[in-house]
Amino acid sequence: MTKPIKPFYFDLTEGEIAEFTQESTKILRSGNLILGDYTDRFEAAFAAYIGSKHAVSVNSGSTALEILLRLKWVEGKTVLAPTNTNFATVAAVIRAGGIVRYLDMDPASFAPSLAMVKQGIERHRPAGVLWVHIGGIISPEFPAAVAYCRERGLFMLEDAAHAHGSQLRGVKSGNLADGAAFSFFPTKVMTTCEGGMITTNSAEEAESARSFRNQGKRGMKFGGLHHDFGNSSRMTEINALLGSIQLKRLPEMLKKRQAGYDMITASLDKAGIRYVTARHMDAASHYKLIVLLPEGRSLDAVKKELAADGVIAGGGVYEIPCHRQPVFQGVDAGADLPNADRWCPNHLCPPLTSGMSDDESRYVGEMLVKHLT
């Protein structure tokens, strides 16, 4: 390769840049910078794409998670959440007043197993579960976990920050459980620069979410009474415009990611290298390809070897699980989470973007084989 293959790519065509420039000029000239037509259109389009009845935009995926948990009234209640996730997942439970109890992970899916969920429910008697689709992979056991929770009157929420367009058994992530939170951070498969989205099929929850994002103002955008202890968590009109442009081309971007995934994993399959598969799904976002490192290979060493050959790996999804993070010491102290301790520091995410050519994808696969066998 003549130039390094990088793990991140902002996918925006010249035509889309021109569209963004033209429409953002209209926004600036209008003076209406929040909660206007662009926000309404983006929310409606996103709900239609996911298949949910409602979508409510906010300023970040972290905010989406916190509001989603507030909608479930978790204050003072226990919520099960995986430890192999981003800071924001666990922090959202705590900020919403909940009590975190960790779930371990199955290395085959990088998600909890159904058995882990059942054990956690029996032991901790939670109000519900906050599940994370790591890398955009929906575990094949997720529908059974949803059903198990619902049978017991517990909620199941999706942290779908990685899972834009991921689909299992005819249903997209964001509509598989009792509400979901998406992130539009710059590295995600689609972005609004900063932003997030809540999806729900409850009109009451959607209305409450709009209140929480807008200083607790129910039923109105500006002025009026403050009914809920909300915050200033709105998405701007310009962010919503970019989101609408990205959403229109999301299917094309996912198609390119799928092609790259197929080429890279073809090499991994031939070499017997283990990775978290998405082949049980109808479609996957392929936000991350999670490759399990062989015994005796360190993440830092493999990253350096790949970089020498022009493949810049982003490291792992989350190399340090939440129960090992300094800020969360004392949260579910003493929890036994052996799989997370084993695999969080011992996996690799190679470049996989919608900007990679076929030759680059094949090369990434070849270099993984070279350095992992």
Side-chain angles (χ1 to χ4, degrees):
M1 292 286 106
T2 57
K3 61 181 180 178
I5 304 172
K6 298 180 179 180
F8 305 119
Y9 176 73
F10 180 32
D11 198 335
L12 202 66
T13 67
E14 288 300 318
E16 289 164 343
I17 292 172
E19 179 185 357
F20 179 81
T21 301
Q22 178 180 333
E23 295 301 310
S24 61
T25 299
K26 292 179 183 178
I27 292 170
L28 295 175
R29 285 176 174 157
S30 76
N32 186 6
L33 305 182
I34 58 169
L35 301 179
D37 291 341
Y38 289 88
T39 298
D40 291 343
R41 288 198 290 267
F42 180 39
E43 291 175 344
F46 196 83
Y49 177 76
I50 296 299
S52 63
K53 292 181 180 178
H54 307 278
V56 180
S57 63
V58 290
N59 62 345
S60 72
S62 301
T63 297
L65 283 168
E66 182 181 342
I67 292 177
L68 189 63
L69 287 154
R70 290 186 181 279
L71 297 177
K72 299 303 181 184
W73 300 96
V74 302
E75 186 172 2
K77 301 174 184 176
T78 296
V79 178
L80 302 182
T83 183
N84 63 311
T85 185
N86 183 265
F87 160 88
T89 308
V90 172
V93 178
I94 295 171
R95 287 196 171 108
I99 301 163
V100 176
R101 292 292 179 261
Y102 290 121
L103 292 169
D104 203 0
M105 51 163 278
D106 180 346
S109 63
F110 263 55
S113 66
L114 178 60
M116 290 171 189
V117 172
K118 289 180 177 180
Q119 184 180 43
I121 289 172
E122 181 178 349
R123 180 179 179 187
H124 298 297
R125 305 297 179 188
V129 180
L130 178 54
W131 188 287
V132 185
H133 302 309
I134 294 290
I137 305 296
I138 304 171
S139 166
E141 294 192 307
F142 183 63
V146 174
Y148 187 83
C149 286
R150 286 177 172 170
E151 287 167 4
R152 285 151 185 80
L154 311 178
F155 65 74
M156 174 67 85
L157 300 176
E158 300 175 75
D159 181 337
H162 298 178
H164 316 69
S166 292
Q167 181 172 307
L168 181 67
R169 303 179 189 176
V171 183
K172 283 190 172 69
S173 172
N175 201 32
L176 285 162
D178 303 314
F182 289 84
S183 169
F184 301 125
F185 188 71
T187 62
K188 299 298 188 287
V189 294
M190 62 168 286
T191 184
T192 60
C193 290
E194 282 278 15
M197 190 76 80
I198 297 162
T199 56
T200 177
N201 289 314
S202 166
E204 181 180 354
E205 288 189 351
E207 189 62 28
S208 293
R210 293 187 181 96
S211 174
F212 277 119
R213 77 175 175 186
N214 191 32
Q215 299 183 334
K217 300 173 186 178
R218 294 187 193 173
M220 56 182 59
K221 295 178 179 179
F222 307 105
L225 300 173
H226 301 265
H227 293 272
D228 302 301
F229 199 65
N231 208 332
S232 298
S233 304
R234 300 164 293 262
M235 178 179 285
T236 72
E237 286 283 88
I238 289 176
N239 290 123
L241 165 62
L242 179 57
S244 294
I245 292 170
Q246 287 265 282
L247 182 61
K248 283 188 291 186
R249 212 159 59 80
L250 181 59
E252 180 184 344
M253 292 191 289
L254 296 182
K255 185 178 179 180
K256 290 179 179 178
R257 284 179 174 266
Q258 180 67 51
Y261 171 89
D262 289 341
M263 291 175 191
I264 295 170
T265 57
S267 296
L268 301 184
D269 288 337
K270 289 179 183 178
I273 296 171
R274 296 171 63 194
Y275 60 93
V276 180
T277 182
R279 291 201 168 90
H280 61 284
M281 297 167 58
D282 305 339
S285 68
H286 295 305
Y287 176 60
K288 298 287 186 181
L289 170 56
I290 302 169
V291 180
L292 305 182
L293 296 180
E295 192 76 35
R297 299 307 314 276
S298 77
L299 177 59
D300 286 345
V302 174
K303 284 176 62 177
K304 288 177 182 177
E305 292 172 12
L306 288 170
D309 280 327
V311 176
I312 312 302
V317 188
Y318 302 112
E319 299 161 28
I320 303 173
C322 286
H323 72 281
R324 298 293 182 189
Q325 293 286 357
V327 70
F328 294 134
Q329 292 311 294
V331 174
D332 199 9
D336 186 25
L337 304 157
N339 289 342
D341 283 331
R342 167 69 178 89
W343 290 109
C344 282
N346 291 293
H347 71 278
L348 175 82
C349 295
L352 177 57
T353 73
S354 56
M356 288 166 57
S357 68
D358 290 353
D359 286 343
E360 287 174 327
S361 296
R362 278 189 285 265
Y363 183 76
V364 168
E366 291 167 2
M367 291 304 100
L368 288 170
V369 172
K370 174 182 175 182
H371 295 292
L372 294 180
T373 57

